[in-house]
Amino acid sequence: MGFYSNFIIPYGIDIVMSGSPLSEYRQKLLENVSGEILEIGFGTGLNLAYYPDSVTKITTIDPNPGMQKLARSRIAASNIEVDFQILNGESLPMADASFDSVVCTWTLCSIARVEQAIAEVHRLLKPKGQFFFIEHGLSKDIQIQVWQNRLTPIQKVIADGCHLNRNIKHIIEQKFSNVAIEQFYAPKLPKVIGYMYQGIATK
């Protein structure tokens, strides 16, 4: 990773993703997470404050070492023990059926081989384990889709691989047959980037 990815992107993401509306979505998503937990795309640790009090340890991965530097203060301030590993979600060293819950927030948009990452999530979950996710992606509205497709090549450059036009529901349902999902526009965000997919997929 170059200077931009390591030193600019982490600060930019931390600022953009720490706003109040997104915090509410984090809290709602994480309120029922339990057991052995893996978080994919830990970033700067913005989810830490929203895990239930019952959570005492999580394993986290992120491919960008620059994120880890910013996450340290949040990890130090948290009661949760964090095993932070610099890894790519497409290929993970953990054994099959290692986790009760896998968490992913606004990360699937930027994983190059996203289908492989979902296959890894499925592999790592225990039977009946749950994948908790919230992502932005392809709108249901054709006119918005047109702009998402036009702007994605630019978005990938300025936002370190982020796609505006991924159909998150379709991607997850390729591996999971039991998916409960809500799709909606986030208030106060431009529709081209604010179409959300929030849900739980069960193995």
Side-chain angles (χ1 to χ4, degrees):
M1 291 188 175
F3 179 84
Y4 182 73
S5 292
N6 269 320
F7 297 98
I8 305 300
I9 283 293
Y11 286 94
I13 287 178
D14 193 65
I15 293 169
V16 171
M17 301 304 295
S18 60
S20 176
L22 301 185
S23 297
E24 293 172 12
Y25 298 136
R26 294 180 197 275
Q27 184 173 14
K28 180 181 177 182
L29 181 72
L30 297 175
E31 61 187 3
N32 294 314
V33 174
S34 62
E36 296 288 329
I37 300 166
L38 171 68
E39 182 175 336
I40 294 176
F42 184 65
T44 62
L46 290 169
N47 285 337
L48 269 179
Y50 303 102
Y51 279 101
D53 292 339
S54 58
V55 174
T56 58
K57 180 181 178 181
I58 59 174
T59 301
T60 70
I61 66 163
D62 200 290
N64 188 336
M67 297 289 188
Q68 188 179 33
K69 295 175 184 177
L70 289 183
R72 285 175 184 161
S73 60
R74 291 192 176 101
I75 293 172
S78 175
N79 292 324
I80 300 173
E81 179 185 348
V82 178
D83 177 10
F84 190 119
Q85 302 183 38
I86 300 175
L87 294 169
N88 192 306
E90 299 167 355
S91 180
L92 297 170
M94 298 83 168
D96 295 357
S98 293
F99 298 96
D100 299 287
S101 303
V102 176
V103 171
C104 191
T105 59
W106 298 291
T107 296
L108 297 180
C109 62
S110 58
I111 299 176
R113 293 180 295 166
V114 65
E115 291 84 2
Q116 180 59 32
I118 295 299
E120 282 290 84
V121 169
H122 190 272
R123 178 183 71 81
L124 292 173
L125 279 171
K126 298 175 183 179
K128 306 299 182 182
Q130 294 185 306
F131 176 40
F132 296 80
F133 61 89
I134 182 165
E135 304 287 340
H136 72 99
L138 187 69
S139 170
K140 63 182 178 180
D141 300 321
I142 299 298
Q143 290 183 330
I144 302 300
Q145 289 181 11
V146 169
W147 281 104
Q148 288 178 315
N149 292 329
R150 286 176 179 171
L151 294 173
T152 287
I154 300 170
Q155 177 75 0
K156 286 167 63 178
V157 173
I158 64 175
D160 207 28
C162 174
H163 294 67
L164 299 171
N165 59 353
R166 284 185 169 168
N167 187 327
I168 302 299
K169 181 175 185 289
H170 175 71
I171 291 168
I172 293 174
E173 287 181 342
Q174 285 182 308
K175 198 65 183 178
F176 288 87
S177 58
N178 185 357
V179 182
I181 190 168
E182 298 177 60
Q183 296 175 231
F184 56 92
Y185 284 111
K188 301 180 181 179
L189 288 179
K191 287 187 175 182
V192 73
I193 199 168
Y195 191 74
M196 300 293 171
Y197 296 74
Q198 178 171 335
I200 302 172
T202 304
K203 182 173 179 179

